[in-house]
Amino acid sequence: SRKILERNPEKLVLYDNSEFGLYKLEQELVQEEGSKTEVIVLLGSILNPGHLLNVINSFNVEKVFHAAAYKHVPLVEQNIIEGVRNNVVGTWQVANAVAESNASELVMISSDKAVRPTNVMGATKRLAELIIQGFADQAREKATGNKFSMVRFGNVLRSSGSVVPLFESQIMKGGPVTVTHPETTRYFMTCGEASELVIQACAMSVGGEIFVLDMGEPVLIKELAEKMIHLHGRIVGPTTDSVDKDLVVNIHYIGLRPGEKLYEELLIGANVSETGNPMIMRAEEEMLAWDDLKLILDGLKEAVYSGDQFKLRQLLIKAVPSFKPQSDITDILYEA
């Protein structure tokens, strides 16, 4: 939102189901000096498509940035129904609303976890990509002029669910800092970098692209934890008796949780081309015919509302053949 405000649009509509999140964001944005943009704050859910369509048309929205998704891997693994409902059915309804409205463009924020997923969250994000690809294909066939595209990248530092605030909190309490595995790596980018590149990718879009951001080299989470401990003036334990114990912070390895990978990837295939920005790549990847995808989506929607976690997993595997679950279903309600 801050990056969009820098471009001085006439209006910026903030649409979210988090009352506290909206309040905080509004308080921050109204303090932006010199902005002539009208900031409109609306409570709403992407699972209420009629309301969303009404919002887009009422405020003459031209571009929609869709970032509404559950993205915490273990939580989605334990709450399959809501994960699929929000990430898949929600994306379908956002795309429908844009297609039926006067908006000209939809950009969906995707995740590196969509590549060869081992967890439900990643599978839902890949299926969301397939939905956007399907809508882009239909827009081309019908020559509607609407553009649908995706931007895929890894972890954003200090975003909700990021390890950085967690590590900081653990260090301030004297530790231990919890790391899943000594060889776990992740891609990282700052929020400002990612947001700027998303907007630039949007400007390049002709419809149907999967833009992939260059995240640089992956970071060892163990090394990130060690650097953060040092930056807080502490010492990584265990250490000798001569060191002040209040300065020592230990790292504990807790093991990979269900669905978690040692490392993430950004590309599914090798069909990648450059763009005008060296930080943004354009990937050409397989997609499903819309009629086939629609059958799966109808089945998923039915399984969501009947509460059938087993069927949901089977349909996710059918839609995303690269989805290889690492464990049995660990949904809390399913186990109960």
Side-chain angles (χ1 to χ4, degrees):
S1 296
R2 288 194 295 270
K3 291 292 181 183
I4 290 169
L5 278 182
E6 289 174 8
R7 288 157 168 83
N8 293 311
E10 182 184 328
K11 295 175 188 170
L12 173 61
V13 179
L14 309 174
Y15 186 82
D16 205 310
N17 68 356
S18 168
E19 181 188 41
F20 179 63
L22 265 181
Y23 169 76
K24 268 183 70 178
L25 186 56
E26 182 187 25
Q27 292 304 304
E28 181 181 337
L29 295 183
V30 294
Q31 296 172 16
E32 294 282 340
E33 292 184 13
S35 175
K36 296 177 182 176
T37 301
E38 180 186 2
V39 178
I40 298 159
V41 179
L42 289 166
L43 275 170
S45 168
I46 59 171
L47 297 168
N48 186 349
H51 185 242
L52 180 59
L53 178 60
N54 195 12
V55 165
I56 293 171
N57 284 337
S58 295
F59 297 102
N60 298 314
V61 173
E62 293 176 22
K63 297 180 188 295
V64 175
F65 292 90
H66 168 39
Y70 292 133
K71 59 180 184 288
H72 195 276
V73 169
L75 273 176
V76 174
E77 208 68 18
Q78 293 168 355
N79 297 274
I80 296 174
I81 291 169
E82 284 306 301
V84 172
R85 190 168 83 105
N86 196 59
N87 295 6
V88 178
V89 178
T91 295
W92 185 12
Q93 293 182 168
V94 171
N96 257 326
V98 170
E100 292 174 11
S101 73
N102 298 320
S104 60
E105 185 164 5
L106 169 62
V107 182
M108 187 194 84
I109 307 302
S110 191
S111 164
D112 55 357
K113 292 174 179 63
V115 178
R116 284 176 276 278
T118 56
N119 51 68
V120 172
M121 193 284 274
T124 62
K125 292 300 284 185
R126 177 58 189 142
L127 186 43
E129 289 182 348
L130 290 169
I131 290 168
I132 302 303
Q133 286 175 296
F135 271 84
D137 203 42
Q138 291 180 85
R140 276 193 299 267
E141 281 183 14
K142 298 173 184 176
T144 63
N146 283 359
K147 293 191 288 188
F148 295 84
S149 62
M150 300 136 276
V151 185
R152 184 195 290 161
F153 50 96
N155 296 280
V156 174
L157 289 165
R158 297 189 178 279
S159 64
S160 61
S162 167
V163 296
V164 173
L166 172 65
F167 285 176
E168 281 185 336
S169 171
Q170 291 173 335
I171 293 166
M172 297 306 290
K173 292 175 183 175
V177 171
T178 54
V179 176
T180 54
H181 191 282
E183 294 176 26
T184 302
T185 63
R186 292 291 182 267
Y187 289 101
F188 285 100
M189 183 173 271
T190 67
C191 189
E193 285 177 309
S195 302
E196 180 64 36
L197 290 171
V198 165
I199 294 170
Q200 288 187 31
C202 169
M204 298 175 188
S205 174
V206 295
E209 300 95 340
I210 298 180
F211 292 107
V212 181
L213 303 188
D214 184 349
M215 304 284 295
E217 293 299 315
V219 175
L220 264 173
I221 300 300
K222 175 187 76 168
E223 290 183 359
L224 175 64
E226 290 170 348
K227 284 178 183 175
M228 288 187 64
I229 291 168
H230 290 142
L231 286 170
H232 281 79
R234 306 296 181 91
I235 298 164
V236 179
T239 187
T240 61
D241 294 338
S242 60
V243 176
D244 183 350
K245 286 185 171 54
D246 289 339
L247 292 176
V248 177
V249 176
N250 291 310
I251 295 175
H252 283 186
Y253 296 104
I254 58 175
L256 292 170
R257 293 165 293 185
E260 282 191 318
K261 287 181 176 182
L262 273 180
Y263 61 92
E264 301 291 354
E265 304 167 87
L266 286 164
L267 296 169
I268 295 173
N271 195 358
V272 184
S273 58
E274 295 179 348
T275 67
N277 187 322
M279 295 290 290
I280 304 172
M281 298 173 285
R282 183 183 282 107
E284 300 290 334
E285 293 177 357
E286 291 181 2
M287 58 181 290
L288 282 176
W290 179 251
D291 288 346
D292 296 334
L293 182 58
K294 175 75 164 48
L295 281 173
I296 293 172
L297 292 175
D298 287 337
L300 278 167
K301 199 170 181 180
E302 184 182 310
V304 161
Y305 293 111
S306 66
D308 192 336
Q309 295 95 332
F310 181 79
K311 186 178 179 183
L312 281 176
R313 176 182 269 202
Q314 295 308 304
L315 286 169
L316 284 174
I317 292 170
K318 183 177 180 181
V320 186
S322 61
F323 174 33
K324 307 294 181 190
Q326 282 187 340
S327 61
D328 293 333
I329 296 174
T330 57
D331 183 284
I332 295 171
L333 198 57
Y334 181 80
E335 290 179 340

